[in-house]
Amino acid sequence: MSTTTLQAAPSLLDAITGPGSERDFFDTYWEKRSVLFRREGAPLDLDFDVQSYFDAMSSETLVKSVYKDPQGQHRECRIEPDQARRLYEAGLTICASQIHRGHAQLGRSVDDLQAHYLGTQFNYNGYLSPKGSGFGIHFDSHSVWIIQVEGSKRWFYGDEPQIPYPLTNCIYPLRRARFKLPWYTVPRPDDVQMNEVVLEPGDILYLPAGVWHRTEAAGYSLSLTLSAQPHPAGKFITDVLQNRSFLQKRGRRPLPSVTAHGPDRDVSERLLHETLAESLEALRRDIDQLTVEDLAALWVRQIDPEADAR
């Protein structure tokens, strides 16, 4: 388990990359290993507490109650913001997505992060749990920093991703030896191999995408999860190729219908093969003409409006 001490940091940007340099964090931990930053001294001043958590919820906020069913399986249910306090008092964990949209200081923090890390989308989710409540075992499709704000929460988490760069979140179902997803099959996570820590106010835990984790509130707990969602390289490249393809008549050509029965079946399938062959050949030419420099320049112009002026 990687743990380091975090002294007073002037900003959240300094806090989430730890006591070393920003480059050290990305070389050592980013998308590779979990790390716990134990806070010494006063926690970050986020101007955020239980009351401001409820106040920040709005019609734009996706709010869910989280609980375990009688069989112990993790469940989530979407609720209205005005139901959140009553359900929390009834013993349920309340999760509010994109809570920064209703909180000025968190909103500025997201703006600052996105201005610094161009091309990455940041969001804050809030989690308010009564004593003993928590979240079932799962991994996320993006890196997260957990910032403990009030109370304390017990975390169980792995050191490294089970699945590198997962395409979806995964909540592991009970009593399954393995779980098949469209892109990969994941084995049952082993609790014995997980780290166990209790986060106190000011502590920050970084988890790469694909790391198994679960939680239990030690007392009551209010925490923020800061997620970072970079753009997948494969999607950017396929978007570029699609745009180039659609500029050509051959790229816009629709696939022909295939006749279900009768003598025209062979003719329609032959036409299908010809259409696909023509489109595939055009795609190969587009790929051959693209260079890394072309793609990098396109991406920088897309994420940085001032790139051409530099």
Side-chain angles (χ1 to χ4, degrees):
M1 179 175 71
S2 297
T3 305
T4 187
T5 300
L6 185 64
Q7 304 292 338
S11 69
L12 180 69
L13 180 60
D14 297 299
I16 63 174
T17 53
S21 70
E22 185 179 51
R23 188 71 266 153
D24 287 343
F25 172 80
F26 281 95
D27 288 344
T28 306
Y29 300 111
W30 177 250
E31 297 179 336
K32 303 179 189 74
R33 291 187 61 80
S34 305
V35 60
L36 171 61
F37 299 136
R38 285 289 192 192
R39 184 76 173 182
E40 278 195 356
L44 283 168
D45 181 14
L46 298 174
D47 190 27
F48 191 77
D49 57 18
V50 172
Q51 185 57 52
S52 56
Y53 180 54
F54 288 119
D55 290 344
M57 296 179 191
S58 69
S59 58
E60 296 182 358
T61 309
L62 173 60
V63 186
K64 297 180 292 185
S65 61
V66 180
Y67 61 97
K68 290 184 179 179
D69 67 17
Q71 288 72 45
Q73 179 64 51
H74 175 99
R75 300 294 183 191
E76 299 178 5
C77 178
R78 183 166 183 174
I79 62 174
E80 295 299 322
D82 60 6
Q83 297 175 301
R85 188 184 293 273
R86 295 196 303 276
L87 290 172
Y88 167 69
E89 292 171 351
L92 279 67
T93 290
I94 304 300
C95 168
S97 300
Q98 299 190 350
I99 196 68
H100 59 278
R101 293 181 178 272
H103 188 274
Q105 186 164 328
L106 295 181
R108 288 192 296 271
S109 168
V110 166
D111 291 342
D112 291 344
L113 287 166
Q114 292 184 162
H116 186 72
Y117 297 113
L118 299 176
T120 298
Q121 180 180 348
F122 289 87
N123 288 293
Y124 279 105
N125 292 348
Y127 295 85
L128 179 62
S129 300
K131 182 178 180 180
S133 183
F135 229 82
I137 192 159
H138 65 288
F139 62 66
D140 297 307
S141 62
H142 46 265
S143 288
V144 295
W145 289 266
I146 298 92
I147 305 166
Q148 190 66 29
V149 180
E150 292 184 5
S152 58
K153 182 174 282 188
R154 189 177 305 277
W155 281 78
F156 303 83
Y157 64 94
D159 283 318
E160 298 177 349
Q162 171 71 53
I163 301 292
Y165 314 116
L167 297 174
T168 59
N169 298 341
C170 175
I171 299 174
Y172 202 91
L174 292 175
R175 294 177 288 278
R176 292 273 195 94
R178 60 184 56 84
F179 186 45
K180 186 173 179 59
L181 296 170
W183 302 278
Y184 33 70
T185 298
V186 293
R188 172 177 288 281
D190 185 358
D191 261 8
V192 175
Q193 300 298 319
M194 290 191 176
N195 304 298
E196 179 180 348
V197 299
V198 175
L199 296 190
E200 304 290 349
D203 291 342
I204 298 176
L205 175 62
Y206 167 72
L207 300 177
V211 169
W212 289 116
H213 55 281
R214 65 180 180 88
T215 66
E216 297 171 1
Y220 90 99
S221 169
L222 175 65
S223 61
L224 289 165
T225 295
L226 174 65
S227 64
Q229 297 174 303
H231 197 84
K235 185 176 188 310
F236 168 64
I237 294 172
T238 54
D239 286 347
V240 170
L241 289 169
Q242 177 177 285
N243 290 338
R244 290 194 171 202
S245 175
F246 285 176
L247 291 174
Q248 306 172 46
K249 180 176 68 175
R250 285 172 296 189
R252 300 192 301 271
R253 182 178 176 181
L255 291 174
S257 299
V258 175
T259 305
H261 306 288
D264 287 341
R265 172 79 180 218
D266 290 343
V267 175
S268 61
E269 285 196 6
R270 186 165 59 250
L271 182 58
L272 172 65
H273 281 242
E274 291 172 358
T275 303
L276 288 171
E278 184 179 272
S279 297
L280 190 58
E281 181 59 32
L283 178 61
R284 288 195 179 103
R285 285 197 296 271
D286 283 340
I287 291 174
D288 289 341
Q289 291 169 5
L290 274 180
T291 67
V292 172
E293 290 73 20
D294 291 335
L295 289 168
L298 284 169
W299 178 243
V300 169
R301 283 201 296 272
Q302 184 172 316
I303 63 174
D304 185 1
E306 300 177 4
D308 290 334
R310 289 191 172 91

